[in-house]
Amino acid sequence: MTESTAALVPEIELEQISMQYPAAFSDVLALQDVSLSIAKGEFVSLLGPSGCGKTTLLRIMADLIQPTGGRIEVAGKSAKEARLAQRYGIVFQNPVLYDWRKVKQNITLPLELKGVKKSEREARAMELLELVGLQKFADQYPWQLSGGMQQRVAIARALAMEPEILLMDEPFSALDEFSRERLNEELLSIWSKVGNTIVFVTHNISEAVFLSDRVFVLSPHPGRLSAVAEISLPRPRTKEMRNSEAFFRLIAQIRDSFEGV
Amino acid sequence: MDGPLAAQVATQEDPVTHQTITASQKAKRKAGDGKASRIWLPLAGGVLFFVLWELQIFHRIFDLKTYQLPLPSAIGTTLVKNFDLLVNYAGYTLTEAVLGMLIGSALGFAVALIAAIWPRWGSGGVMIVASLNAVPIVALAPIMNLWFGADIGSRIAIVAFTTMAAMAINAHKGMKMIDPLALDLMHSYAATKFEVFRYVRITSSLPFVFTALKINTTASMIGAIVGEFFFASRGLGYLLSNSIKVAKMPLGWSCIVIAAAAGVLFYLVVERLEKVFIKWHPSQRA
Amino acid sequence: MNELSGLSRLRFLPAFLWAVALIALWEIASWLLLEVLQVPMAQSKLPYIHEIVSTFGQYGNTLANEGWVTLTNAALGFALGAAAGASLAVLMSASKWMERLAFPYAVASQMVPILGLAPIVYGIVRDEQAARIIIAAYITFFPVSLNMLRGLRSAHPYALELMHSYAAKPWTIYWKLRFPASLPGLFSGLKIAAPLAVTGAILVELMGAQHGIGVIMLRNLYYGPSHTYMFWSTVIVGALLGVLSYLIIGWIERLAAPWQPEFRSKGGGR
């Protein structure tokens, strides 16, 4: 997870990606020539104001939409092959838990679709629930959990297929600041145990700085990559670092990069 | 209830459009012929249905005679021949339906209002009225006939009875489902209970009231027609059941056609009124 | 748990008292009409409730048997109509063409007085059994298909994308996501249709049949004032059948889709 090993093996590579949406009068350019490379085991954030195309970029990596131009490689394959091979797990802004399934069954859903045996599924679900600290809630319905807990279930579900990559689209944006910070810390602890590559979309600068090895800063109209910030804070990151001078300096630095746009 | 549902249906289109945008030209062409097929497809289906019917294909499949299931052409001829009578009767039936619906809806609204003012006891009243909803209309017909005679009054009573429940349930829901902040705002104005009703509860129940009215247009036509089946001497329901008894099938079918047209007309009028009265509601935005 | 049942008892108490008050009012009004105002046919217009109850005791078997015939016929038609309606909804959700073809007619049919078709259907098939079933099925068909379609479409776009990210097959998406998501819609359609199906069945019976609650309703009406208590009993059985059909569907809904918001206990949530 250190910079030196990270630079060796690329996990996600984008080359000149662009995305054009047809509109009534003129087509909207959501992304223009975005090129970036994300290393295996790296934690990166895509940061920017609304309309900068950060979510679009993530959805392209997930093969939920196809770019109108450029080349993309995920885990050494095309985005579609990576999706079909279940090389990534995805977490949305909402937990998107199925109301009719208990917490445990929500986590086993992707395993069910892959035909994993029931006993194996259940064991895996309990492991994951332990990882996110929700063992006690296995047999509750989603509505019986708080918003933060629901999002933790969504993370556990995304990890069910043991993917190399975790794609997260503003997963904590609907939570209050206190829950968000707590979940940031928890996510890092999960990541330190699982060790996969994480791409994290956010519009919150301090969140991006706290979590990431690198922050890709995007700017809107048209959406493009405007800066890359290396976050030199040591790992493991702790609550106390939020108050460190280095932390504030990094935030200021990134904020300045927006001013320049 | 309708609002969020409608919103969900609208957002659901998003992933579809995302997938079809790979070539913008293609997407535009698709949208274009989509609009056309939205009209032509059901129209063509309808025409095909009538042609098959006219050519007696259905008769052959289900082993029917034309005196059992008359042909569209025969129905059309009968309809034209008896047009004056049919329109006259349709007016009579519509009168029953409209008057009954107005009375029933007013009663239902009153129940909802009482329930909203005194929630502790009132909601029990709404529950009782709601259970009336399950009472078969046909069981009401003979009783209303005893009370109000064989005249127009008995059908108005039947219709009033059957439309009361939907209005009570919906209006009550509308008066209860209010943004708590809107109530706090009224409270900050030191508004009286009456003013809260006048300015907040009644207005915010209007969309629900119109939902109920739209449900009730259909229910009231059914109530009026079914009421006429048994003891009436005029009206579309009377003519319908009598024509069937004497095996004048085409005349019976023309009654249905006219009743359907009257029902749609009634519905459209209520929908128009809704547009006028609740312009501000999200469901009315283009 | 104890506290909960106590609460729900408290919730139904007002409705219960309302019912008691209405019955008392009815008895008084009935007495006024008969003894004080001496209105002609007073007992036919508003009979004593205790007399109806005693008729129930006397002819309970007949009423139950005939009611059962009506209910089973309505249920058979209802099941057929619901199955057909749900299938059409699935077809409409799966195929844009099918939707464009059928949806306008399904909506328009909601504005047409469907029960008016009862005599026509009866005229076509001339068989009480078949007519009852067809009418009940026809009445059930459209509300079920429209509500089911709304339910099938109610799956959240993110939930669909999640399925896409799992590379799920269309059939799997239906089985794991769309069907469960459509259950609330399906049941709201079924709850609208169930009392209507009973009404339709009774209507056909009134037009001519051998068995069913509608048949003895009509018979006792023709017998005149001497049979008024029996007539009223049949009316009440008809009403009870309608309410019963609604309650049965509600009960099945609780078993089939217990996760819906309205079944959630208020105290259990966090």
Side-chain angles (χ1 to χ4, degrees):
Chain A
M1 262 155 274
T2 58
E3 288 297 311
S4 54
T5 56
L8 294 176
V9 199
E11 185 81 301
I12 300 175
E13 280 207 281
L14 306 180
E15 252 176 60
Q16 306 271 304
I17 291 289
S18 26
M19 185 75 207
Q20 213 169 21
Y21 288 103
F25 296 104
S26 65
D27 290 356
V28 176
L29 201 56
L31 287 172
Q32 188 180 42
D33 296 336
V34 176
S35 300
L36 54 86
S37 170
I38 299 165
K40 203 173 181 60
E42 200 180 8
F43 196 132
V44 302
S45 291
L46 305 177
L47 174 73
S50 31
C52 73
K54 54 190 191 298
T55 293
T56 307
L57 201 56
L58 189 89
R59 292 159 62 93
I60 288 172
M61 294 177 191
D63 188 43
L64 294 175
I65 51 176
Q66 287 77 45
T68 44
R71 203 182 59 83
I72 175 167
E73 205 168 275
V74 177
K77 309 159 189 280
S78 76
K80 184 173 182 184
E81 284 165 345
R83 173 171 67 84
L84 295 179
Q86 296 282 286
R87 305 304 285 270
Y88 72 81
I90 190 163
V91 179
F92 296 102
Q93 285 166 17
N94 310 337
V96 204
L97 301 174
Y98 291 178
D99 281 341
W100 49 91
R101 287 170 166 255
K102 291 179 176 162
V103 166
K104 189 165 62 179
Q105 295 163 327
N106 263 291
I107 295 175
T108 56
L109 174 73
L111 302 167
E112 247 173 87
L113 297 182
K114 280 285 164 294
V116 177
K117 268 205 306 253
K118 186 167 180 184
S119 56
E120 235 169 280
R121 293 201 302 250
E122 305 258 301
R124 178 89 185 112
M126 288 318 288
E127 262 171 51
L128 287 162
L129 279 170
E130 204 181 320
L131 182 69
V132 298
L134 291 175
Q135 312 89 297
K136 274 189 287 184
F137 301 93
D139 289 316
Q140 305 263 32
Y141 280 105
W143 58 268
Q144 295 174 300
L145 273 57
S146 70
M149 289 171 165
Q150 289 182 16
Q151 204 53 285
R152 270 146 72 187
V153 175
I155 293 171
R157 181 183 55 195
L159 294 171
M161 294 297 293
E162 304 184 346
E164 291 98 320
I165 303 164
L166 191 54
L167 302 176
M168 307 182 85
D169 184 8
E170 303 191 28
F172 309 137
S173 62
L175 304 177
D176 63 78
E177 195 59 27
F178 301 99
S179 321
R180 180 210 286 260
E181 290 190 356
R182 210 178 43 243
L183 278 173
N184 282 169
E185 286 145 30
E186 249 175 71
L187 177 61
L188 285 183
S189 113
I190 291 169
W191 178 57
S192 71
K193 287 174 202 152
V194 181
N196 48 9
T197 312
I198 298 185
V199 183
F200 191 97
V201 169
T202 180
H203 55 238
N204 185 314
I205 301 178
S206 67
E207 183 174 50
V209 169
F210 183 72
L211 292 172
S212 317
D213 296 322
R214 281 191 296 161
V215 176
F216 294 101
V217 179
L218 290 106
S219 56
H221 313 301
R224 62 193 185 282
L225 191 58
S226 60
V228 184
E230 300 268 350
I231 308 300
S232 48
L233 297 173
R235 302 239 182 226
R237 306 255 163 99
T238 58
K239 265 204 279 287
E240 291 69 36
M241 281 183 199
R242 288 186 194 278
N243 298 322
S244 70
E245 203 185 318
F247 186 71
F248 287 122
R249 209 169 30 225
L250 282 160
I251 290 176
Q253 203 182 319
I254 290 174
R255 192 176 290 127
D256 285 345
S257 74
F258 282 112
E259 306 276 306
V261 176
Chain B
M1 203 68 176
D2 258 328
L5 271 170
Q8 274 185 10
V9 172
T11 50
Q12 201 225 330
E13 302 276 325
D14 284 349
V16 181
T17 45
H18 281 314
Q19 275 160 12
T20 50
I21 50 167
T22 36
S24 61
Q25 288 285 321
K26 201 170 128 195
K28 271 174 200 160
R29 185 149 30 86
K30 238 185 182 165
D33 84 16
K35 213 169 263 172
S37 74
R38 216 169 275 276
I39 298 164
W40 288 112
L41 201 61
L43 206 63
V47 170
L48 181 71
F49 180 80
F50 277 107
V51 169
L52 291 180
W53 183 355
E54 185 67 39
L55 294 176
Q56 305 195 17
I57 307 292
F58 295 133
H59 292 76
R60 244 166 264 164
I61 295 172
F62 297 109
D63 189 26
L64 294 169
K65 302 281 175 292
T66 48
Y67 62 79
Q68 286 174 302
L69 177 62
L71 297 177
S73 54
I75 298 170
T77 334
T78 317
L79 197 150
V80 172
K81 213 188 289 170
N82 298 287
F83 195 69
D84 288 342
L85 177 75
L86 285 166
V87 168
N88 185 348
Y89 277 8
Y92 181 77
T93 304
L94 259 178
T95 312
E96 296 168 347
V98 173
L99 288 178
M101 184 181 95
L102 289 178
I103 294 171
S105 300
L107 286 174
F109 191 81
V111 170
L113 201 58
I114 291 167
I117 295 174
W118 296 288
R120 179 140 173 65
W121 296 100
S123 42
V126 172
M127 238 186 252
I128 298 265
V129 174
S131 67
L132 288 182
N133 202 22
V135 177
I137 330 166
V138 284
L140 284 175
I143 295 169
M144 295 301 148
N145 189 56
L146 279 172
W147 284 2
F148 299 100
D151 230 342
I152 193 165
S154 87
R155 259 88 61 197
I156 291 177
I158 292 169
V159 173
F161 225 94
T162 54
T163 52
M164 196 164 71
M167 177 58 81
I169 295 165
N170 277 287
H172 187 235
K173 208 195 280 173
M175 289 177 200
K176 277 198 322 187
M177 270 178 53
I178 291 178
D179 182 359
L181 290 180
L183 288 181
D184 288 348
L185 186 68
M186 288 309 279
H187 193 66
S188 80
Y189 297 153
T192 62
K193 198 169 182 180
F194 172 77
E195 283 166 329
V196 173
F197 266 91
R198 162 91 173 65
Y199 289 100
V200 181
R201 289 197 190 266
I202 291 185
T203 336
S204 67
S205 76
L206 276 184
F208 292 83
V209 166
F210 273 98
T211 303
L213 284 178
K214 284 195 277 187
I215 295 170
N216 280 348
T217 52
T218 321
S220 67
M221 280 305 282
I222 293 178
I225 289 172
V226 173
E228 286 168 354
F229 281 169
F230 301 102
F231 307 97
S233 52
R234 284 183 71 191
L236 287 177
Y238 156 79
L239 187 61
L240 171 60
S241 73
N242 264 38
S243 313
I244 303 297
K245 271 179 207 148
V246 297
K248 282 190 192 161
M249 292 297 169
L251 189 56
W253 278 89
S254 343
C255 288
I256 282 291
V257 174
I258 293 290
V264 171
L265 185 74
F266 190 12
Y267 186 90
L268 291 179
V269 167
V270 172
E271 206 178 36
R272 183 78 226 149
L273 285 176
E274 180 184 24
K275 284 216 162 63
V276 173
F277 275 98
I278 53 167
K279 283 194 205 92
W280 47 271
H281 195 255
S283 68
Q284 301 299 318
R285 285 172 205 153
Chain C
M1 203 58 213
N2 251 336
E3 199 180 327
L4 203 82
S5 65
L7 267 174
S8 70
R9 213 177 298 145
L10 215 67
R11 209 162 72 80
F12 287 107
L13 185 69
F16 176 72
L17 288 181
W18 266 93
V20 171
L22 279 180
I23 289 171
L25 209 66
W26 183 309
E27 284 283 289
I28 294 168
S30 173
W31 174 79
L32 276 177
L33 286 181
L34 184 67
E35 306 288 347
V36 182
L37 300 172
Q38 307 206 331
V39 175
M41 310 235 309
Q43 278 299 291
S44 297
K45 286 181 179 164
L46 208 64
Y48 280 131
I49 290 196
H50 65 263
E51 291 283 4
I52 299 175
V53 171
S54 89
T55 314
F56 255 92
Q58 226 173 327
Y59 297 99
N61 266 337
T62 320
L63 289 168
N65 284 339
E66 303 296 325
W68 179 249
V69 171
T70 305
L71 190 66
T72 46
N73 278 310
L76 189 56
F78 177 76
L80 287 173
S87 314
L88 179 69
V90 172
L91 282 177
M92 284 199 287
S93 84
S95 149
K96 215 88 232 121
W97 279 78
M98 197 62 205
E99 190 205 326
R100 294 207 174 141
L101 188 64
F103 191 72
Y105 290 104
V107 171
S109 74
Q110 295 293 92
M111 291 184 259
V112 172
I114 294 171
L115 272 180
L117 284 176
I120 291 207
V121 171
Y122 189 71
I124 292 175
V125 288
R126 290 278 171 207
D127 175 78
E128 50 162 303
Q129 203 82 355
R132 255 188 301 212
I133 292 168
I134 290 173
I135 285 288
Y138 186 86
I139 288 175
T140 309
F141 182 74
F142 290 107
V144 168
S145 94
L146 283 177
N147 281 286
M148 172 95 179
L149 180 64
R150 205 180 64 191
L152 286 170
R153 284 172 171 172
S154 74
H156 195 279
Y158 279 151
L160 287 167
E161 290 195 333
L162 188 70
M163 282 307 207
H164 187 65
S165 85
Y166 297 148
K169 305 216 165 39
W171 169 245
T172 318
I173 295 180
Y174 266 92
W175 194 240
K176 299 278 182 196
L177 173 61
R178 286 195 191 268
F179 281 137
S182 75
L183 284 179
L186 173 65
F187 275 102
S188 70
L190 291 176
K191 280 192 281 193
I192 295 169
L196 286 177
V198 172
T199 307
I202 296 179
L203 182 58
V204 174
E205 288 164 3
L206 288 179
M207 288 183 299
Q210 304 293 314
H211 289 287
I213 198 72
V215 177
I216 48 172
M217 189 185 292
L218 197 64
R219 201 177 292 156
N220 284 286
L221 187 65
Y222 283 144
Y223 291 158
S226 58
H227 282 70
T228 182
Y229 297 126
M230 189 60 180
F231 166 72
W232 272 86
S233 302
T234 61
V235 170
I236 287 170
V237 169
L240 287 178
L241 288 179
V243 176
L244 185 68
S245 69
Y246 182 90
L247 290 179
I248 290 173
I249 300 298
W251 177 68
I252 295 174
E253 180 179 19
R254 256 174 193 275
L255 292 182
W259 40 266
Q260 293 181 70
E262 60 263 39
F263 299 146
R264 290 169 190 172
S265 59
K266 292 283 187 293
R270 246 165 292 265

